[in-house]
Amino acid sequence: MNKPIGILDSGVGGLTIWREIVKELPNESTIYIADSKNCPYGIKTAEEIYNLAKRLAAFLVTQDVKLIVLACNTITVSCLDKLREEFKDVPIIGTVPVIKTASELTKNKKIGILSTSATSKSKYQKDLIEKFAGNCQVINIGTAKLARSIERGENVSLVLKNELKPFLETGVDTLVLGCSHFPLIKDQIQSILKDVQVLDSGAAIARQVKRVLEKENMRSKTKPNHNFYTTGDVKLFNKILSQSLEYNGEAESVIL
Ligand code: DGL
């Protein structure tokens, strides 16, 4: 089935998941939509997040996508089930932090999770921690500032030092990035948390997308095409796409 895969996020962060999907599934076309105008979602209420996410999903449905990836932890933990209920005809895959993997890899049983405020406070994330990392000490930090600064292409080094302090103080040996924006600054995180293994969800989500397409018999065999849309600043989007993702694409502006 040669329809594209639809990928949505509150902004540019989900491009880190888009990159893994394109790597895992090189014949698949994609349509990516970033709601940069309304980013950050991580400080909004569940109701606000749902209303915004619903518009992004509806846009992808009008583009005739065969599957939707919520490349955003905040959207996933807030309203994955509601979106599945609303858009019954399209399979929807969410993104969650790889807490299970972290609990298998940690040696000292001390895990850090860095996500947005909404994600860190959510029942969804607390349940994941209890289910998979009940035998570990988990430092679950929600940050209000990082995603917004990354979205705006600002220098995050000062903010980052502060946000990572609790992980240094506790001595976690494994850190889970629970927001799709954070892999964009993975090198900076790693340079502060030198001996910590830093994990993100991108590759796991890409494998999940592949499994679903195969199960539903939806794989494409044609030459792929990648389209990008943003509700925010097109130039900023293109800059992050070329500098951080090393991909030269031109986003189109969209008003939802
Ligand atoms: N990138 C999103 C996530 O994975 C949220 C960033 C934001 O808009 O706050 O959680």
Side-chain angles (χ1 to χ4, degrees):
M1 199 202 272
N2 295 326
K3 292 180 180 181
I5 296 170
I7 301 164
L8 64 84
D9 183 38
S10 64
V12 293
L15 287 169
T16 60
I17 291 174
W18 167 84
R19 168 175 58 195
E20 297 300 326
I21 291 173
V22 169
K23 215 189 285 172
E24 182 78 30
L25 296 159
N27 292 324
E28 298 292 340
S29 293
T30 62
I31 296 184
Y32 184 96
I33 176 137
D35 194 8
S36 308
K37 185 174 156 236
N38 293 304
C39 186
Y41 278 22
I43 52 169
K44 299 190 192 320
T45 64
E47 196 186 349
E48 288 168 330
I49 295 167
Y50 173 64
N51 286 330
L52 291 168
K54 195 164 76 170
R55 292 193 316 180
L56 298 175
F59 171 80
L60 291 175
V61 169
T62 64
Q63 302 293 310
D64 205 18
V65 298
K66 61 184 170 187
L67 176 143
I68 293 175
V69 180
L70 309 179
C72 178
N73 298 260
T74 305
I75 295 175
T76 304
V77 302
S78 303
C79 54
L80 171 65
D81 290 343
K82 275 171 94 175
L83 290 169
R84 282 185 171 150
E85 187 62 30
E86 180 78 27
F87 301 98
K88 286 204 176 70
D89 298 335
V90 190
I92 300 183
I93 291 175
T95 299
V96 286
V98 287
I99 296 170
K100 182 168 183 276
T101 310
S103 72
E104 287 158 4
L105 292 175
T106 178
K107 298 232 159 37
N108 68 3
K109 302 276 177 221
K110 291 183 185 176
I111 297 172
I113 309 173
L114 184 64
S115 44
T116 64
S117 310
T119 301
S120 71
K121 284 189 225 137
S122 68
K123 181 173 180 319
Y124 198 118
Q125 176 132 308
K126 288 184 179 146
D127 286 351
L128 280 181
I129 293 172
E130 203 177 297
K131 183 165 173 203
F132 295 117
N135 61 342
C136 298
Q137 183 182 352
V138 179
I139 317 300
N140 177 17
I141 305 276
T143 154
K145 295 188 187 132
L146 262 182
R148 180 176 43 203
S149 296
I150 296 168
E151 188 69 27
R152 294 177 180 170
E154 294 167 0
N155 184 336
V156 294
S157 38
L158 254 175
V159 180
L160 194 57
K161 266 206 185 116
N162 258 325
E163 302 286 8
L164 296 181
K165 222 183 239 159
F167 303 121
L168 274 177
E169 285 167 0
T170 330
V172 303
D173 70 357
T174 310
L175 176 71
V176 180
L177 302 183
C179 168
S180 58
H181 278 66
F182 301 163
L184 290 171
I185 52 160
K186 196 168 183 175
D187 290 350
Q188 286 183 70
I189 294 173
Q190 197 68 76
S191 72
I192 297 171
L193 301 179
K194 290 203 172 50
D195 301 320
V196 174
Q197 44 188 345
V198 181
L199 309 174
D200 66 70
S201 313
I205 303 304
R207 287 195 298 273
Q208 173 69 356
V209 172
K210 188 176 181 183
R211 277 194 291 272
V212 172
L213 291 185
E214 272 162 9
K215 187 166 157 255
E216 304 285 332
N217 211 6
M218 282 182 174
R219 291 289 298 273
S220 290
K221 294 187 182 71
T222 51
K223 209 171 161 294
N225 191 15
H226 302 295
N227 289 304
F228 304 92
Y229 295 88
T230 177
T231 60
D233 184 334
V234 171
K235 279 202 189 116
L236 197 55
F237 184 99
N238 292 343
K239 192 172 159 204
I240 291 175
L241 187 59
S242 69
Q243 288 183 355
S244 302
L245 283 299
E246 293 173 359
Y247 186 87
N248 287 320
E250 299 273 323
E252 277 181 50
S253 175
V254 67
I255 298 170
L256 298 178

